[in-house]
Structure formats: C-alpha cells, structure tokens
Amino acid sequence: MNLSQKIRELCKEKDAAILAHYYVDGEIQDIADYVGDSFYLANMVKKLPNKVIVFCGVTFMGESASIINPDKKVLIPDMSAECPMAGMADKKEIIAMREKYEDLAVVCYINSSAKTKALCDVCVTSSNALNIVKALPQKNIYMIPDGNLARWIAGKLPDKNIIPGRGYCYVHHGIMVDDVLKAKKEHPEAQVLTHPECRIEVCEISDYVGSTSDIIRFASESSCKEFIVCTEIGVSHKLNAQNPQKTFHFIKKGVCNSMRKLTLESVYDCLINENTVAEIDDNISRQAIHSLNRMLDFARI
Ligand code: 13P
Ligand code: SF4
C-alpha cells in the first residue's frame, strides 16, 4: 500500500474526513474528501457526520473548524503552518475604533486568530465579504486584518465608510503591478484573474477578482484559453485538472510557505498519533462562534 492508500484506510478506521484548501499540494488535494476555499470548508464542517476532521490548511482554518463544530476532534497536520496575517489585528485598535464610531461593525476576515474573531461582529471570507458587508446595517465598517480586501470592498460599496485594517498577506501583497504587466506582455491574449488579498492596483488591472473558488469557476466558464493567475500556486492543481485545454500562468511570487509545509507524511502522522488537535480556550471559543455562525447565517440568506 502506498502512503495515500494508508491514509484512506486510516480515515475509514477512525471515521475521519480530510478537508483540504486549494493551496495545499496537489497530492494532498487528491486524497481529500473535500477540497475548497475557506468558506466552502468552514460551511462543510457543519455538515460532516465524521468523528474526526483532518484539516489540511493553515492553523486558523483548523481552529475555525473546531470552534464551529466543538464536538469533533479536529486534527491539524502541521501546527507550525500558521498564516502570518491571522496575527495582524490589534485588540487595542478594535476597542479604540468602537469608541470612535457609535455606528460601527467590526468585520473580521476568517484569516484571523480565534481571539480576534471573539472581538468581532461578523466573520467574512473572500467569497462572501462583499455581500455580507453590503447587508450590514452599520455605515462604518472596520475590516480587519486584511487591508487589501477592505480596500477592494470599499471600492464596490461607496456608501459605506470602510476602514481598512493594517494586515496583509505577504504572498498576495508581494505581487506587484509590474509583475502583472510583465506577464501581460509575455501573454497578451491572457485574462488576468486575481485574489482580493492582492494590492488594489493589481485588482484594478485584472479582468476578474474573486476568491479561490470564484477564480476556478470563472476560468472554467470563460471562453478564453489562457490566464495569468494572481494567487497561490496550489490553485493550479484544480485549474489544470478541470481545464486541460487551457493554460495558466502563475506569478512566481505566489507561494505560501505555510501551506507548502503540509505533506502526505504529516497527514499520515497526525492520523496515527492524533495529538495535533486544534484546541481553543472555551471562553474565546464561545465568543468567536458568534462571528463565525453569523457569517454562515448571512450566507444562507
Ligand atoms: P480563500 O477565501 O479564497 O479560500 O482564500 C484563503 C486564503 O488564505 C487566501 O490567501
Ligand atoms: Fe495566509 Fe497568505 Fe498563506 Fe493565505 S496565502 S494562508 S493569507 S499567508
């Protein structure tokens, strides 16, 4: 039996389901039960009957899964696979913002720590942020941690006063306008598809801006045959599998070192040992679940 088969056998034995984000290596996506973007995976966690969930992504994803579904054992293959942006929100700034604006909603990108989620009014992901912020009754919206996503949403909702947080994703923020212009010069027929964690100037010169799943959907439905993709390289696995007749050019800087830490070996080890469990302080979890559930409720509307 090869390692992938051993993992599948262990899943049966332990009643475990593997969830994987599009950014992890293709061989992990191939053995997963469910592969998707942050929102799809968070939503899926609610529905799963399995006792154990192996969350193949960065640690905040596993933590969110555990908060949403506290009865499950959520295993994280590599505890050191942290998303740096998740730690880029500041409690003092949230408190100061609440004091400054009476009519304020604190909107927290799912790429954040459980502690930050506990202080916010609602969570969002890149696929639902626009609809959720639009539906909020408050005019003033403090969007943390990701300032780039906030600026992108602000451009779409001019009636809201959107205050961007100071956080950013080094992978997406590292993609510069010049990188895109150079790629466009090399591939003049290609459409540019961009994740909203990219700089606003990059979003503005793109043909389409959307979450990981939205990018895959757009590329699959487009009649265009060639694309420049401004997001993490892991997405190429699904894009190529679903569109063998199309060509995808990724900007070389689009590599998330944390997602790359996950390997088939780490997935196997975490299933065997069951000791890398997502554990969140009960108090924080009780508070954080509100902002996550509110996101899931909004998405159902
Ligand atoms: P998605 O919401 O598109 O899954 O993105 C998550 C993420 O970490 C992007 O860097
Ligand atoms: Fe975090 Fe960026 Fe990696 Fe996404 S790509 S997990 S935002 S560091």
Side-chain angles (χ1 to χ4, degrees), residues 23 58 60 83-85 111 169-172 197 232 256 259:
Y23 290 174
V58 282
F60 80 80
C83 167
M85 180 161 56
N111 295 43
C169 158
Y170 75 95
V171 179
H172 292 86
E197 284 178 17
E232 217 278 338
C256 174
M259 291 282 188

Side-chain angles (χ1 to χ4, degrees), residues 128-287:
N128 58 32
L130 181 61
N131 285 343
I132 293 180
V133 173
K134 198 176 180 179
L136 288 171
Q138 290 89 347
K139 181 177 168 62
N140 303 299
I141 310 284
Y142 184 34
M143 274 191 88
I144 51 173
D146 190 14
N148 285 335
L149 176 69
R151 281 181 280 275
W152 172 246
I153 300 292
K156 299 274 167 206
L157 301 175
D159 293 343
K160 300 270 188 192
N161 173 33
I162 295 184
I163 307 138
R166 293 174 199 270
Y168 61 92
C169 158
Y170 75 95
V171 179
H172 292 86
H173 196 71
I175 298 174
M176 311 301 278
V177 166
D178 282 353
D179 299 320
V180 182
L181 294 179
K182 186 169 169 269
K184 273 172 86 140
K185 215 169 175 187
E186 285 163 11
H187 313 288
E189 302 298 317
Q191 281 187 316
V192 180
L193 314 180
T194 295
H195 195 281
E197 284 178 17
C198 287
R199 292 166 185 263
I200 188 78
E201 314 88 83
V202 171
C203 293
E204 280 168 358
I205 57 163
S206 299
D207 297 288
Y208 180 75
V209 178
S211 77
T212 321
S213 297
D214 293 333
I215 287 175
I216 295 167
R217 197 172 310 116
F218 183 92
S220 305
E221 289 170 3
S222 170
S223 56
C224 188
K225 294 272 177 274
E226 204 180 357
F227 302 86
I228 294 160
V229 191
C230 305
T231 190
E232 217 278 338
I233 184 81
V235 182
S236 62
H237 188 65
K238 184 73 176 176
L239 282 171
N240 287 324
Q242 213 160 286
N243 304 280
Q245 74 290 13
K246 299 185 180 179
T247 309
F248 299 96
H249 309 284
F250 276 72
I251 305 286
K252 282 196 185 63
K253 295 172 183 168
V255 177
C256 174
N257 296 328
S258 302
M259 291 282 188
R260 293 279 83 69
K261 284 187 174 178
L262 276 78
T263 59
L264 280 183
E265 284 74 16
S266 61
V267 176
Y268 178 76
D269 287 350
C270 91
L271 266 163
I272 285 278
N273 301 321
E274 289 193 45
N275 58 3
T276 45
V277 182
E279 268 163 6
I280 300 104
D281 174 89
D282 278 352
N283 264 339
I284 290 173
S285 188
R286 259 194 300 276
Q287 293 166 51

Side-chain angles (χ1 to χ4, degrees), residues 18-46:
I18 300 181
L19 271 61
H21 192 270
Y22 285 127
Y23 290 174
V24 297
D25 281 354
E27 56 183 10
I28 300 177
Q29 295 187 40
D30 289 343
I31 51 135
D33 295 281
Y34 304 95
V35 183
D37 70 358
S38 305
F39 177 67
Y40 169 84
L41 296 173
N43 205 23
M44 187 49 73
V45 163
K46 272 231 139 163

